Amino acid sequence: MFVVDPKKYRFQTEIQQMMFVFGEVSDPLPETTTLVEDIVRSQVIEILIQASAQASRRNSRYICAEDLIFLIRHDRAKVNRLRLFLSWKDVRKNTKDGSGDSVEDVMEDTNTVYRSIIKLPWELVNQFLDVMVKPSNREDESEDEDEVEAYNDSIQRLREADEVTRAMSREEYVHYSECRQASFTYRKSKRFREWANISSYMDVRPNDDIVDSLGFLTFEMVSKLTTIALQIKADLAEAAKKKEDDAVKPGMKRKRSSSLDLLAADHPTTNIASPKSTSTPSDATNSNEKSNNGPNGKEKDEPCGLFTLPTTEQSPLLPEHIQEAFHRLQQAPEPLKNLRGGLVRTRISLI
């Protein structure tokens, strides 16, 4: 039996909830969840190392949110979601500090909430903001293509969640809603710092924005790993089923035809095509009872009819599925740098 060390693996419950939201069973294997936690921890450490190196190039000791966004700049959808997350976090903080009310109450009273837009310094358009004509209306300024794309992406995720929860009962939907709120960092900043051992990789303690951004990225990591692992599992099951069908169907046809030929040769006067004509009502009753019972006398499952759904129980993900998903995510195309040949240490690609 696999035993999980609670001192080393501190986010098993959160990972189980996140994987359930993304399509996994509600009780995944502990071997799978511990492997996911190991991968996420290694990814967080790699992010901290690369972000610290990026901050040192700016002659700064502190990591800012732009350093984290720069590391995932190639994934535009994730960048847009992170920028939207940070902008709304800033709105909640300023609203709470200013009036003490929540964002929902302020929106009900004024019907307007102004959000700060995070400008990325490496984008070309942001280098000419001083000479560009700014719009007179703040609403026009807040309209950004990236924000629209992030909004469309969130709407697509909500549609997918609606498809998953459409057949759920009230209790199942309440459990699903609680699992959607799972986080590595929400009210767990101290545990997250100790879990990732941030003090060993950074000289200065990161602020709350960095910790919340790392929590957002860990959620995206679990989402990516679970989604790709489920796709790999479905592909393997489909390939195995196709291989089994290709191997069984020809053999079954040959076996059936040979048995019929043998019966016809041994009993030439028997009508094989209509066996019901030679059977009695008692034989029919016995045959029906035998067909409804299995080899041990137990009743079989009810057949799947036109208006009955098939009884299919989803099997949990195996560690091999997570390993293959991580392997595929590490196969990112990189430019050829080793022109002299020999062995070169490859960097870990961020999920």
Side-chain angles (χ1 to χ4, degrees):
M1 182 178 180
F2 188 82
V3 180
V4 180
D5 187 6
K7 296 182 179 179
K8 182 180 179 182
Y9 301 100
R10 303 185 181 183
F11 293 98
Q12 288 294 289
T13 304
E14 289 78 4
I15 291 177
Q16 290 178 3
Q17 293 175 350
M18 292 179 186
M19 294 179 68
F20 172 69
V21 170
F22 301 127
E24 174 61 337
V25 296
S26 59
D27 190 13
L29 297 176
E31 298 90 341
T32 305
T33 54
T34 52
L35 178 60
V36 171
E37 187 167 344
D38 288 335
I39 293 175
V40 172
R41 184 191 290 112
S42 64
Q43 289 284 305
V44 171
I45 293 174
E46 187 68 21
I47 288 175
L48 292 174
I49 294 174
Q50 295 187 21
S52 300
Q54 185 67 25
S56 63
R57 296 188 187 99
R58 298 186 292 103
N59 296 326
S60 175
R61 297 176 56 194
Y62 301 93
I63 293 178
C64 61
E66 286 77 7
D67 295 328
L68 300 180
I69 296 176
F70 182 79
L71 299 178
I72 60 172
R73 63 191 183 278
H74 301 296
D75 192 347
R76 196 65 188 177
K78 188 181 297 184
V79 170
N80 295 333
R81 290 195 296 268
L82 181 55
R83 291 175 63 184
L84 191 63
F85 169 77
L86 293 175
S87 62
W88 278 109
K89 180 179 180 297
D90 184 65
V91 168
R92 293 187 180 92
K93 181 180 178 181
N94 295 334
T95 306
K96 187 176 181 180
D97 295 341
S99 60
D101 299 331
S102 62
V103 180
E104 291 78 7
D105 297 337
V106 174
M107 290 185 66
E108 289 180 359
D109 297 338
T110 62
N111 200 18
T112 55
V113 173
Y114 296 109
R115 296 185 291 109
S116 60
I117 302 175
I118 299 177
K119 302 296 183 181
L120 304 179
W122 59 85
E123 289 186 347
L124 186 61
V125 67
N126 294 328
Q127 300 178 6
F128 300 96
L129 291 179
D130 297 335
V131 297
M132 294 176 62
V133 179
K134 295 183 179 180
S136 58
N137 192 359
R138 295 186 64 179
E139 295 182 356
D140 296 338
E141 184 180 359
S142 62
E143 291 294 333
D144 191 4
E145 294 182 359
D146 295 335
E147 294 186 3
V148 173
E149 185 178 354
Y151 174 77
N152 295 331
D153 183 70
S154 63
I155 292 298
Q156 180 62 29
R157 288 196 169 194
L158 289 176
R159 290 196 184 99
E160 295 175 357
D162 181 67
E163 291 293 333
V164 173
T165 59
R166 184 166 295 178
M168 288 186 178
S169 62
R170 183 184 180 86
E171 292 76 12
E172 292 174 348
Y173 184 77
V174 170
H175 176 65
Y176 180 85
S177 300
E178 294 175 355
C179 292
R180 287 190 65 186
Q181 301 176 4
S183 173
F184 279 76
T185 57
Y186 182 67
R187 296 181 179 178
K188 307 165 191 172
S189 300
K190 182 179 179 181
R191 193 207 310 182
F192 181 79
R193 289 188 176 95
E194 294 175 356
W195 171 76
N197 199 9
I198 295 179
S199 59
S200 301
Y201 304 99
M202 297 180 60
D203 298 333
V204 183
R205 181 178 177 178
N207 54 20
D208 295 337
D209 290 339
I210 300 300
V211 176
D212 292 337
S213 300
L214 290 175
F216 175 84
L217 294 177
T218 52
F219 184 84
E220 295 287 336
M221 293 173 193
V222 178
S223 169
K224 200 78 172 178
L225 285 172
T226 306
T227 304
I228 297 180
L230 288 173
Q231 184 63 38
I232 292 172
K233 174 187 169 185
D235 295 341
L236 292 176
E238 184 179 357
K241 183 179 180 181
K242 184 178 180 181
K243 183 178 179 180
E244 183 180 356
D245 293 342
D246 294 341
V248 171
K249 285 183 178 180
M252 291 180 64
K253 290 181 179 179
R254 288 194 299 270
K255 183 177 180 181
R256 181 177 296 178
S257 61
S258 60
S259 61
L260 290 177
D261 294 339
L262 290 175
L263 287 174
D266 295 338
H267 306 282
T269 60
T270 304
N271 187 6
I272 300 175
S274 58
K276 293 183 180 179
S277 59
T278 60
S279 61
T280 61
S282 60
D283 295 337
T285 305
N286 295 331
S287 63
N288 290 332
E289 292 179 355
K290 291 181 180 179
S291 61
N292 292 330
N293 297 332
N296 298 327
K298 298 181 181 180
E299 293 185 358
K300 293 183 179 179
D301 296 335
E302 295 182 358
C304 180
L306 181 60
F307 299 103
T308 58
L309 296 176
T311 57
T312 57
E313 295 183 359
Q314 183 180 359
S315 59
L317 289 174
L318 300 178
E320 291 79 9
H321 300 146
I322 301 295
Q323 291 176 353
E324 179 63 24
F326 180 71
H327 176 67
R328 293 186 182 183
L329 290 171
Q330 293 300 307
Q331 293 179 346
E334 295 183 357
L336 182 62
K337 298 179 180 179
N338 186 23
L339 301 177
R340 298 182 180 180
L343 298 178
V344 178
R345 180 183 179 274
T346 57
R347 293 196 310 173
I348 298 177
S349 300
L350 299 179
I351 300 177

